[in-house]
Amino acid sequence: MGQDFSGKVAIITGAASGIGNSVAAYFAERGARIIGVDLSDSITAAMADLPGDGHHGITKDLTAEGAAPQVIDEALRAAGTVDILVNSAGVVLLDSALDLSDMMWDSTISVNLSASFKMAQAAGRVMTDKGHGRIINLASQASVIGLDQHVAYCASKAGLVGMTKVLSMEWAPRGVTVNAVSPTVVETPLGKKAWAGDKGDAMKKLIPVGRFAQPEEVAALIAYLAGDEAAMITGENILIDGGYSSI
Ligand SMILES: NC(=O)c1ccc[n+]([C@@H]2O[C@H](COP(=O)([O-])OP(=O)(O)OC[C@H]3O[C@@H](n4cnc5c(N)ncnc54)[C@H](O)[C@@H]3O)[C@@H](O)[C@H]2O)c1
C-alpha cells in the first residue's frame, strides 16, 4: 500500500465516474476521508461504496454561481477540514474550430477551467490559513499539444496549467503545493467517447507504449503528489502519456 492518508480529508470533483472515482478509491483505500462532488446524483452511491467511514457525496453543478464556496462549506461541516483537492470534473465537446458552437466553447471553459479555479480558490483559502495543502488539477496531454477538433478542450487544459503555475507561486510560502497531471487517453467514459473506433486505434499507434492509460495509473501519480514526500514539487504539469508528447 505504501502511502497512508489516515486523518486526511480529500475533496475530489467528478468523483462519480472515471479518473475521479478511481482517485477516490485509491485515497480511501489508504485511509483518507473523501468528499466527492459531482453533477450526477450517483455520487452518493459512489461514496457509500468506498472502503472506510465518513465519506460524503455532494451533488452539485460546479458551474453554478457560488458552487465552490458552498462545496467547501459543506465539506468543512462534514469533515472539519480540507487537506487535498483533486479537480477531476471535466467535459470534452468536440468539433472543428470553424464549426464549434458558442455553447460548446463556453461549457468547456466553464467546467474545465473556471470551475477548477473557483474550487482551488475556495479550498486554497482554507489550506493557506492552516499552512498545509495539496491541489492537483487534471489537465491533459491536450495542454501541451494540439489535437484535431479539440480547440476548446486544448484551450481549457492549457489555461489550467497557467492557473496551476500562478497558484503554486502564490501559495508555496504558505505550505500549499499546486500541480497538474496530464494523461494521454485514459480508458474512462470520457476517454472512450472522444477516442472510439478507428480514431482510437490510430492514436494508440502513436503512443510509444502502444496503449491508453488506466485510471488507477493516474490515481497513483496524483496520490504521490498529494503526499508529504512531494513537498518540493509544485507548479509542475506532469505528463503521464506513455511517451506520446515527447516524440
Ligand atoms: N479520460 C481521458 O482520456 C482523459 C485524458 C486526459 C485528461 N482527462 C481529464 O480527466 C478528468 C476526468 O476525466 P474522466 O475521463 O474521468 O471523465 P468522466 O466523464 O468519466 O468523469 C467526469 C465527471 O465529471 C462530472 N462533471 C462534469 N461536469 C460537471 C459539473 N459541471 N459539475 C460537477 N461535475 C461535473 C461528470 O458528471 C463525471 O462524473 C477530466 O478533467 C478530463 O478532461 C481525461
Side-chain angles (χ1 to χ4, degrees), residues 144-222:
V144 294
I145 54 169
L147 292 166
D148 186 39
Q149 301 209 321
H150 281 65
V151 63
Y153 190 79
C154 287
S156 72
K157 297 302 187 178
L160 203 50
V161 172
M163 175 195 106
T164 298
K165 289 181 185 173
V166 176
L167 300 187
S168 73
M169 287 171 66
E170 293 191 2
W171 297 347
R174 300 178 69 179
V176 179
T177 68
V178 188
N179 290 290
V181 299
S182 281
T184 185
V185 181
V186 186
E187 288 187 317
T188 67
L190 179 147
K192 287 175 186 162
K193 176 182 161 203
W195 296 97
D198 293 347
K199 188 179 160 191
D201 294 339
M203 180 64 168
K204 274 183 204 161
K205 291 198 179 103
L206 298 174
I207 299 174
V209 301
R211 64 172 176 86
F212 292 152
Q214 295 305 310
E216 297 73 21
E217 294 175 299
V218 182
L221 174 59
I222 289 172

Side-chain angles (χ1 to χ4, degrees), residues 13-21 37-40 60-64 87-92 111-112 115 138-141 153 157 160 181-192 195:
T13 73
S17 174
I19 297 169
N21 190 254
V37 190
D38 207 287
L39 193 55
S40 165
K60 182 78 78 184
D61 179 353
L62 287 167
T63 66
N87 274 316
S88 189
V91 293
V92 59
V111 181
N112 296 6
L138 258 301
S140 163
Q141 65 183 7
Y153 190 79
K157 297 302 187 178
L160 203 50
V181 299
S182 281
T184 185
V185 181
V186 186
E187 288 187 317
T188 67
L190 179 147
K192 287 175 186 162
W195 296 97

Side-chain angles (χ1 to χ4, degrees), residues 61-172:
D61 179 353
L62 287 167
T63 66
E65 181 145 8
Q70 288 161 15
V71 165
I72 299 302
D73 285 350
E74 188 167 337
L76 291 175
R77 279 198 300 277
T81 191
V82 181
D83 299 292
I84 298 160
L85 167 68
V86 179
N87 274 316
S88 189
V91 293
V92 59
L93 299 169
L94 303 181
D95 209 341
S96 62
L98 289 177
D99 294 327
L100 192 86
S101 68
D102 286 357
M103 185 280 289
M104 291 168 101
W105 175 270
D106 292 344
S107 300
T108 307
I109 300 298
S110 174
V111 181
N112 296 6
L113 181 56
S114 304
S116 297
F117 169 65
K118 290 171 191 175
M119 281 300 299
Q121 184 186 48
R125 288 181 176 135
V126 177
M127 293 173 178
T128 53
D129 270 356
K130 73 179 202 170
H132 187 270
R134 296 279 187 268
I135 298 176
I136 297 105
N137 298 312
L138 258 301
S140 163
Q141 65 183 7
S143 68
V144 294
I145 54 169
L147 292 166
D148 186 39
Q149 301 209 321
H150 281 65
V151 63
Y153 190 79
C154 287
S156 72
K157 297 302 187 178
L160 203 50
V161 172
M163 175 195 106
T164 298
K165 289 181 185 173
V166 176
L167 300 187
S168 73
M169 287 171 66
E170 293 191 2
W171 297 347

